[in-house]
Amino acid sequence: MDIRVSGHQVETGAALQNHVSDRLEPMITRYFNRASAANVTFGKGPHDNGFTCDIIAPVVNGVVLKASNKAFEAQVAFDGAADKIERQLKRYKSRLRDRKGEGGGASAEPEDGAAYTVFAPPASEDEPAPEHPPVVAETRVDIPSASVSDAVMMLDLRNTTALMFRNTGTGAYNMVYRRDDGTIGWVEPRDR
């Protein structure tokens, strides 16, 4: 497994890199035998208050594990983020076991591609938004086929606020999202 450790305005010495490899590699390979890479990025906290650690690990079938943590020491920041990754992995495996027990096992394979665009906000509150805002980012994203419960699991694993998926039960595109109160919302299109 290729683990890349980098730092933004932070020196990542051999001891820290070894600690990251020694903890992360066995943890991920215990759950995914074909995991290929992980990126661990350390940075300075705001106003020099400690360190931040971000972990991104694409593992299998479009599943990307993401976690971040802040602490006054780099190693402690990493350990907190690694604990979050481990909880995600345990939840993922238990849900897969539950699905196999039901005889289901919906595929998390990406099926169709979709593009998304992020637009820049207006320069100020007083200035009206331009008629055609500038495009800041555009990329292709895989839309997985999954049941609603599998989509919620992927939402947790990817550590995102929203996920569009093709519902294996209906064949329609649906979306799950994390609400401000921590609960999960589900958007399903109306039949025409």
Side-chain angles (χ1 to χ4, degrees):
M1 182 172 172
D2 179 34
I3 298 176
R4 182 174 167 241
V5 180
S6 59
H8 290 289
Q9 300 176 356
V10 174
E11 266 311 303
T12 57
L16 183 59
Q17 291 181 10
N18 289 336
H19 177 71
V20 167
S21 294
D22 291 346
R23 171 114 194 253
L24 203 57
E25 186 167 357
M27 178 176 55
I28 291 177
T29 55
R30 181 178 339 142
Y31 295 98
F32 294 100
N33 54 359
R34 290 184 289 154
S36 60
N39 291 320
V40 180
T41 306
F42 291 93
K44 282 289 204 181
H47 311 293
D48 291 330
N49 288 336
F51 297 89
T52 61
C53 177
D54 297 316
I55 301 173
I56 300 174
V59 284
V60 66
N61 292 341
V63 175
V64 178
L65 303 172
K66 294 181 184 178
S68 61
N69 195 39
K70 296 177 185 177
F72 286 104
E73 294 180 23
Q75 191 167 336
V76 175
F78 166 74
D79 287 337
D83 289 343
K84 291 177 185 179
I85 292 283
E86 192 163 20
R87 283 193 301 272
Q88 290 174 1
L89 287 168
K90 286 179 182 176
R91 238 185 351 249
Y92 176 71
K93 281 301 187 177
S94 76
R95 286 183 180 173
L96 284 180
R97 265 192 304 270
D98 292 347
R99 298 292 294 163
K100 284 184 181 179
E102 295 172 6
S107 168
E109 289 289 326
E111 193 170 284
D112 294 332
Y116 73 89
T117 305
V118 179
F119 297 102
S124 70
E125 296 288 325
D126 301 331
E127 190 177 309
E131 188 174 333
H132 301 287
V135 175
V136 175
E138 187 172 309
T139 186
R140 305 281 301 167
V141 183
D142 292 325
I143 298 177
S145 287
S147 66
V148 176
S149 62
D150 288 345
V152 171
M153 176 180 59
M154 284 188 267
L155 179 76
D156 286 340
L157 287 173
R158 294 179 181 185
N159 198 22
T160 60
T161 55
L163 175 75
M164 179 180 246
F165 66 101
R166 183 181 291 238
N167 190 330
T168 54
T170 63
Y173 288 101
N174 289 189
M175 184 176 78
V176 289
Y177 62 96
R178 188 166 310 282
R179 298 167 47 123
D180 290 339
D181 62 0
T183 59
I184 302 294
W186 173 25
V187 178
E188 186 173 30
R190 251 188 249 166
D191 290 335
R192 293 184 187 214

